[in-house]
Amino acid sequence: MSAPYARPLDLKHGLVDLTHGSGGRAMAQLIRELFVRELANEYLAQGDDGARLGRATGRLVVATDAHVVSPLFFPGGDIGCLSVNGTINDVAVMGARPLYLAASFVLEEGFPLADLAKIAASMGRASREAGVPVVTGDTKVVERGKADGVFITTTGVGELRDGIDCSGANARPGDVVLLSGPIGAHGMAIMACRENLSFDAPIVSDTAALHGLVDALLRAAPGLHTMRDATRGGVGATLNEIAQQSGVGIEIDEAAIPIPAPVEAACELLGLDPLYVANEGRLLAICPPDLAGDALGALRAHPLGAGATRIGRVIEDPRRFVQMRTRLGGRRIVDWLHGDQLPRIC
Amino acid sequence: MSAPYARPLDLKHGLVDLTHGSGGRAMAQLIRELFVRELANEYLAQGDDGARLGRATGRLVVATDAHVVSPLFFPGGDIGCLSVNGTINDVAVMGARPLYLAASFVLEEGFPLADLAKIAASMGRASREAGVPVVTGDTKVVERGKADGVFITTTGVGELRDGIDCSGANARPGDVVLLSGPIGAHGMAIMACRENLSFDAPIVSDTAALHGLVDALLRAAPGLHTMRDATRGGVGATLNEIAQQSGVGIEIDEAAIPIPAPVEAACELLGLDPLYVANEGRLLAICPPDLAGDALGALRAHPLGAGATRIGRVIEDPRRFVQMRTRLGGRRIVDWLHGDQLPRIC
């Protein structure tokens, strides 16, 4: 197609304006010269209001996530790769193979096109690395002061593997709780940015697409009961969700939970509990005890699960409590998060 | 599941606060007592970070749309039903059967829970009427002043009918252009709200799910080339998109395009061209001339296409112009929309 535009987008100094969301020529140009270029794939190139895709053989899985992280750029990533990885993970931990992503953008008038191009490029890289294309999208623009730079909603479509039945509702007393690696890096990378903290070794977000790790894990332990990525609310909130859904209690061991020293230091400084700090590349897996060895081995054999550990077990508890044996030998309830420790972390 | 909450949400006087987006107990409560209640279906009740669905038999189609309409409530609808219908339509006009919707919410701190409940109820109604369930969702909250009430992204998943090949790229010289009914109602309903205009007969948005109409149309004329709903940028922008994608020209007849009198009056008052005003329940269909009679008959036989007309034809034109024969016998170019006539119309 020939581009009916007088001049190309100014990706150095240009700003988003309301015409970029109006359905007219400026919007078509933004989509073609920025999004389609960075996210290039055969589906996006169709140019319709949606994408025509292949057939899925398994049952479908759909997950959607709005991303409102602030700041938009942080050590280890940005809202672009975060929005790709986060939704891939939501699909993957349901035991499904992620196939396609859709992306919708709400842009604030005045947002620099250069930043938008960086974000789109980061989405493109993450999507190519993961092998999950962004097949369709949408762009809206709101007036200055009516949004905060850019919000991105990604939706993932995947297909369930046959014979896999993973759910937050499947944890059973006696099951073992595994964690794929050290916690707290994503949340504390964001907080360190916001609070202008500097450390000798900067904290870098753990954002990563976990579908490869999930694949390895399910091959080793197809009878796994539950997987979930420990994002908003961290390990603490995620375990409470599972306890609630499955109608069980969960007991974890403080000493078994790996927390990187800089994360621990930053949490102490800010009065935060690392158990509730968001991760973007860590998953919890719950499986019958006879599968735990194979599952842990598969996690550790994968680069994204090298630091995997066994952190606890599922118990009977009609109150559905999550409890922790502390390093000092005591016990405490790991309650649901009450306040909002860390708003806009993803 | 028992609800681990001290007291139910205050859906009368409560406000959205940052804890509703934090991944903790308040978020779980908001999802359960407001969204799950209004959108109730077996998939949403699964309670995981995504939904396990059925198998699709045809090729998949995915479409996504962010909704930022302002005001949130308007004659004939609100952001809730709009976000359901709009995405159903994007899937339908690709020749697919819409199967499932996902919904993500960006909420502004301080937004009334009563309004959110009204919006969720409206989504629920629209989704039940259409027979397309909202199977999964996500909620984020940003600080006061960092968004504008609520933004909703919906993503639709559908399956292509076998043997149907509808695309904006398929229009061919000689084809006939059909329009499913009078134009401009949605955009002018919004503008009348914003400008506090009052008319004897208030203008009511045409928001509607068009998949039933599409179904009737495709049964009557399976060899149809192109369908598209004329949303942002109206009939003018939509025809330009098609001309661009298909590499053709399009000629339309001003006298053949139905414009309700109140829409025409409001457009005149505000200096707007109804050709560029958004519709949310109108589609353009382009088909070979021998199918035009059957297609028009099928449209007119359906309540949402009762006012369907033949408005023009596709011609050869390497410049890909859309032209209009005016009522006075002249001709004018229907150019791409340059500025942003109507921001935040959907």
Side-chain angles (χ1 to χ4, degrees), chain B residues 315-327:
Chain B
I315 57 174
E316 281 201 49
D317 183 352
R319 300 161 307 174
R320 308 176 190 204
F321 282 172
V322 178
Q323 301 182 56
M324 184 161 77
R325 273 189 310 241
T326 65
R327 284 206 183 98

Side-chain angles (χ1 to χ4, degrees), chain B residues 32-54:
Chain B
R32 198 171 308 165
E33 296 183 15
L34 198 151
F35 291 115
V36 173
R37 180 174 298 168
E38 297 294 354
L39 300 169
N41 62 69
E42 57 177 312
Y43 307 108
L44 208 57
Q46 291 169 359
D48 283 315
D49 283 348
R52 256 169 234 89
L53 307 164

Side-chain angles (χ1 to χ4, degrees), chain A residues 1-5 18-28 32 43 46-68 70 90-91 93-94 99-106 135-143 145-148 151 153-155 157 160 162 165-169 228-229 231-233 237-238 240-241 244-246 318 320 335-344 346, chain B residues 1-5 18-28 32 43 46-68 70 90-91 93-94 99-106 135-143 145-148 151 153-155 157 160 162 165-169 228-229 231-233 237-238 240-241 244-246 318 320 335-344 346:
Chain A
M1 268 186 282
S2 71
Y5 317 121
L18 290 170
T19 67
H20 289 120
S22 68
R25 183 175 282 173
M27 189 177 86
R32 199 171 308 166
Y43 306 108
Q46 291 168 358
D48 283 315
D49 283 348
R52 253 169 238 87
L53 307 164
R55 284 173 205 271
T57 54
R59 284 175 60 194
L60 296 178
V61 164
V62 174
T64 195
D65 245 331
H67 294 83
V68 299
S70 170
D90 280 346
V91 171
V93 296
M94 297 187 66
L99 299 172
Y100 307 110
L101 290 171
S104 102
F105 297 80
V106 175
V135 297
T136 190
D138 181 55
T139 309
K140 294 289 189 313
V141 180
V142 298
E143 307 88 335
K146 299 293 186 186
D148 193 15
F151 302 143
T153 291
T154 47
T155 305
V157 177
L160 272 184
D162 280 326
D165 181 20
C166 263
S167 163
R228 191 160 289 177
D229 51 339
T231 55
R232 262 187 297 180
T238 307
N240 268 287
E241 279 169 35
Q244 188 59 37
Q245 256 186 288
S246 293
R320 307 174 191 206
D335 199 2
W336 286 80
L337 186 59
H338 274 283
D340 189 33
Q341 269 199 317
L342 304 172
R344 300 186 61 185
C346 61
Chain B
M1 264 187 286
S2 69
Y5 316 121
L18 289 169
T19 67
H20 290 121
S22 68
R25 183 176 283 174
M27 189 175 87
R32 198 171 308 165
Y43 307 108
Q46 291 169 359
D48 283 315
D49 283 348
R52 256 169 234 89
L53 307 164
R55 286 172 204 270
T57 54
R59 285 175 59 196
L60 296 179
V61 163
V62 175
T64 194
D65 245 331
H67 295 83
V68 298
S70 170
D90 280 346
V91 171
V93 296
M94 298 188 66
L99 300 172
Y100 307 110
L101 290 171
S104 102
F105 297 81
V106 175
V135 296
T136 189
D138 181 55
T139 309
K140 294 289 190 314
V141 180
V142 298
E143 306 88 334
K146 299 295 185 185
D148 193 14
F151 302 143
T153 291
T154 47
T155 304
V157 178
L160 272 183
D162 281 326
D165 182 19
C166 262
S167 163
R228 192 160 288 177
D229 51 337
T231 55
R232 263 188 296 180
T238 306
N240 268 286
E241 279 170 33
Q244 188 60 35
Q245 256 186 289
S246 292
R320 308 176 190 204
D335 199 2
W336 285 80
L337 186 61
H338 275 283
D340 189 33
Q341 267 197 315
L342 303 173
R344 301 187 59 187
C346 61

Side-chain angles (χ1 to χ4, degrees), chain B residues 2-312:
Chain B
S2 69
Y5 316 121
R7 57 186 73 174
L9 272 186
D10 179 358
L11 291 179
K12 262 200 187 144
H13 306 292
L15 302 178
V16 169
D17 65 48
L18 289 169
T19 67
H20 290 121
S22 68
R25 183 176 283 174
M27 189 175 87
Q29 183 178 22
L30 180 73
I31 291 171
R32 198 171 308 165
E33 296 183 15
L34 198 151
F35 291 115
V36 173
R37 180 174 298 168
E38 297 294 354
L39 300 169
N41 62 69
E42 57 177 312
Y43 307 108
L44 208 57
Q46 291 169 359
D48 283 315
D49 283 348
R52 256 169 234 89
L53 307 164
R55 286 172 204 270
T57 54
R59 285 175 59 196
L60 296 179
V61 163
V62 175
T64 194
D65 245 331
H67 295 83
V68 298
V69 67
S70 170
L72 297 169
F73 301 92
F74 47 82
D78 55 59
I79 191 172
C81 61
L82 190 72
S83 69
V84 166
N85 293 337
T87 295
I88 286 176
N89 293 347
D90 280 346
V91 171
V93 296
M94 298 188 66
R97 281 186 206 91
L99 300 172
Y100 307 110
L101 290 171
S104 102
F105 297 81
V106 175
L107 305 173
E108 184 187 7
E109 181 188 13
F111 189 68
L113 289 175
D115 285 347
L116 190 59
K118 264 200 274 183
I119 290 167
S122 168
M123 294 184 80
R125 263 191 312 275
S127 139
R128 281 187 298 274
E129 272 171 31
V132 185
V134 177
V135 296
T136 189
D138 181 55
T139 309
K140 294 289 190 314
V141 180
V142 298
E143 306 88 334
R144 215 178 275 265
K146 299 295 185 185
D148 193 14
V150 53
F151 302 143
I152 305 177
T153 291
T154 47
T155 304
V157 178
E159 58 184 355
L160 272 183
R161 291 168 177 82
D162 281 326
I164 298 292
D165 182 19
C166 262
S167 163
N170 291 358
R172 294 290 166 266
D175 282 357
V176 169
V177 180
L178 306 174
L179 171 65
S180 70
I183 64 170
H186 176 72
M188 296 321 294
I190 301 286
M191 289 308 287
C193 278
R194 282 195 211 156
E195 307 286 331
N196 269 316
L197 304 181
S198 60
F199 301 97
D200 293 345
I203 304 175
V204 171
S205 168
D206 60 350
T207 178
L210 296 175
H211 58 322
L213 182 66
V214 164
D215 205 56
L217 182 56
L218 286 177
R219 268 198 303 249
L224 204 86
H225 286 162
T226 302
M227 287 184 287
R228 192 160 288 177
D229 51 337
T231 55
R232 263 188 296 180
V235 167
T238 306
L239 288 177
N240 268 286
E241 279 170 33
I242 295 170
Q244 188 60 35
Q245 256 186 289
S246 292
V248 297
I250 295 177
E251 233 181 32
I252 56 174
D253 241 323
E254 188 173 18
I257 299 172
I259 304 171
V263 168
E264 195 144 36
C267 279
E268 234 173 76
L269 196 66
L270 298 173
L272 298 169
D273 183 340
L275 263 189
Y276 296 106
V277 173
N279 311 281
E280 290 289 338
R282 294 294 172 249
L283 64 80
L284 288 157
I286 298 183
C287 65
D290 58 316
L291 294 179
D294 288 345
L296 198 55
L299 287 172
R300 286 185 177 156
H302 192 281
L304 292 172
T309 53
R310 177 175 174 145
I311 64 162

